[in-house]
């Protein structure tokens, strides 16, 4: 079962932070991940998801499920850098292949960036409800309404996308189990047999997605939804002293990483 996009209710200090502050922090964290080029800086950035998951009370199994979908992509990116990136000293050499230190270093950096990004994004959705996250997103982009950007439409699309991620994940597991009972398998057999098994899974998944999208569209039309009308909020969350301390710690993190970049 996929965990990205799911919300786990809790009473930790991470759950109590303002959604806008958490969303801004994720944007800053993403920028820092791609701006820093030193593995020492990545070690400092890794402290953030570690402390966050410990504070939120999320189990190790849930942390593993949050990064499991990107394991294959991380392995492919790492191998591509090993094969294609050249430079630095020679680590290992044969008659048909030469492994350079630059490829090993760049591959490690890409994998670390990807895993830290997924862990932090998953932590955001685990500790913030979809409604609160959507309101925070629309609130941050509110000034763009003056130039004609449909903020409410973007916020609704974001909310629907986040809600559909775990739904589609559960649908994929259900269809996969049903196809396995019928004899389809993606782990055994020839490549042609595996592709046929994959086709037997993809078609029902797409049909299920389109069916759910139609049902959602009919439901929104029945409720007379109009994205041009201003949205109201049942609960308005205000910034507290906890958010102030969180902003101070974020500023210290940015300052320390900037000093590390300047020092190197």
């Amino acid at each position: 079962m996929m965990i990205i996009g799911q919300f786990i209710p809790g009473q930790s200090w991470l759950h109590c932070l303002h959604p806008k502050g958490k969303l801004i922090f994720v944007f800053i964290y993403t920028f820092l991940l791609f701006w820093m080029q030193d593995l020492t800086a990545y070690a400092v950035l890794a402290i953030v998801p570690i402390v966050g998951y410990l504070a939120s009370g999320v189990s190790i199994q849930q942390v593993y499920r949050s990064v499991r979908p990107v394991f294959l992509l991380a392995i492919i990116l790492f191998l591509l850098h090993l094969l294609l990136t050249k430079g630095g000293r020679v680590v290992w050499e044969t008659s048909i292949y030469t492994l350079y230190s630059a490829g090993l270093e760049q591959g490690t950096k890409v994998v670390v960036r990807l895993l830290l990004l997924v862990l932090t994004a998953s932590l955001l959705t685990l500790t913030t409800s979809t409604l609160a996250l959507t309101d925070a997103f629309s609130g941050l982009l509110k000034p763009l309404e003056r130039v004609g950007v449909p903020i409410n439409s973007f916020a609704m699309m974001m909310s629907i996308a986040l809600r559909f991620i775990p739904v589609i994940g559960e649908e994929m597991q259900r269809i996969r189990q049903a196809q396995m009972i019928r004899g389809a398998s993606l782990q055994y057999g020839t490549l042609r047999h595996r592709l046929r098994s994959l086709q037997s899974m993809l078609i029902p998944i797409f049909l299920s997605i389109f069916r759910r999208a139609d049902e959602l569209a009919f439901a929104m039309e029945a409720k007379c939804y109009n994205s041009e009308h201003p949205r109201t909020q049942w609960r308005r969350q205000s910034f507290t002293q906890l958010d102030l301390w969180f902003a101070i710690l974020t500023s210290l993190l940015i300052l320390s990483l900037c000093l590390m970049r300047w020092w190197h």
Side-chain angles (χ1 to χ4, degrees):
M1 182 177 62
M2 296 181 66
I3 197 171
I4 300 177
Q6 292 184 344
F7 169 62
I8 299 179
Q11 299 297 327
S12 66
W13 62 268
L14 197 57
H15 286 81
C16 298
L17 287 175
H18 198 285
K20 288 184 180 179
K22 289 189 283 187
L23 195 59
I24 293 174
F25 176 81
V26 171
F27 290 151
I28 296 175
Y29 187 85
T30 303
F31 170 76
L32 292 175
L33 273 178
F34 290 93
W35 183 54
M36 301 302 296
Q37 300 294 329
D38 187 41
L39 292 177
T40 306
Y42 294 150
V44 175
L45 289 171
I47 298 176
V48 174
I50 293 175
V51 174
Y53 279 104
L54 291 176
S56 62
V58 178
S59 64
I60 300 297
Q61 291 79 8
Q62 292 169 329
V63 176
Y64 170 72
R65 289 203 301 268
S66 66
V67 297
R68 185 176 59 183
V70 298
F71 274 159
L72 180 59
L73 177 61
I75 294 173
I76 293 175
L77 292 175
F78 183 74
L79 293 177
L80 286 176
H81 278 280
L82 290 183
L83 294 174
L84 302 178
T85 304
K86 298 181 179 180
R89 61 183 180 86
V90 176
V91 178
W92 184 59
E93 185 177 8
T94 62
S95 58
I96 60 175
Y97 172 70
T98 303
L99 175 62
Y100 294 93
S101 60
L104 187 62
E105 182 179 355
Q106 290 297 325
T108 304
K109 289 180 180 179
V110 170
V111 171
V112 170
R113 285 174 183 169
L114 180 61
L115 294 180
L116 290 180
L117 183 60
V118 172
L119 284 172
T120 307
S122 300
L123 186 61
L124 174 66
T125 58
L126 286 171
T127 58
T128 312
S129 65
T130 305
L131 182 60
L133 198 59
T134 304
D135 291 338
F137 180 76
S138 60
L140 292 176
L141 299 181
K142 200 71 173 178
L144 295 179
E145 283 187 340
R146 299 179 181 179
V147 294
V149 179
I151 302 301
N152 291 332
S153 299
F154 286 151
M156 179 56 64
M157 287 188 292
M158 177 181 175
S159 176
I160 293 175
L162 289 175
R163 289 178 181 272
F164 262 68
I165 289 176
V167 172
I168 294 175
E170 294 176 358
E171 191 74 15
M172 290 176 61
Q173 291 294 332
R174 185 182 63 82
I175 294 175
R176 180 173 178 271
Q177 293 175 359
Q179 294 296 336
M180 289 178 63
I181 294 176
R182 295 185 177 96
S185 177
L186 298 177
Q187 300 178 354
Y188 305 102
T190 61
L191 179 61
R192 184 176 181 181
H193 176 72
R194 293 183 183 181
L195 291 176
R196 286 184 177 179
S197 300
L198 181 62
Q199 180 182 1
S200 65
M201 291 180 57
L202 290 178
I203 294 178
I205 289 173
F206 279 110
L207 291 178
S208 176
I209 293 174
F210 291 142
R211 177 178 55 82
R212 290 181 181 271
D214 287 337
E215 293 175 354
L216 180 61
F218 289 141
M220 294 176 68
E221 290 181 357
K223 296 178 180 179
C224 301
Y225 172 78
N226 189 350
S227 61
E228 297 180 358
H229 292 171
R231 297 186 61 186
T232 59
Q233 296 180 358
W234 180 40
R235 295 178 178 176
R236 293 183 178 271
Q237 187 174 358
S238 58
F239 287 93
T240 61
Q241 188 176 5
L242 179 62
D243 297 292
L244 176 61
W245 284 108
F246 183 69
I248 294 174
L249 292 176
T250 302
S251 302
L252 292 176
L253 175 64
I254 297 173
L255 179 60
S256 62
L257 290 175
C258 289
L259 291 176
M260 291 178 61
R261 171 102 179 190
W262 173 78
W263 182 265
H264 288 283

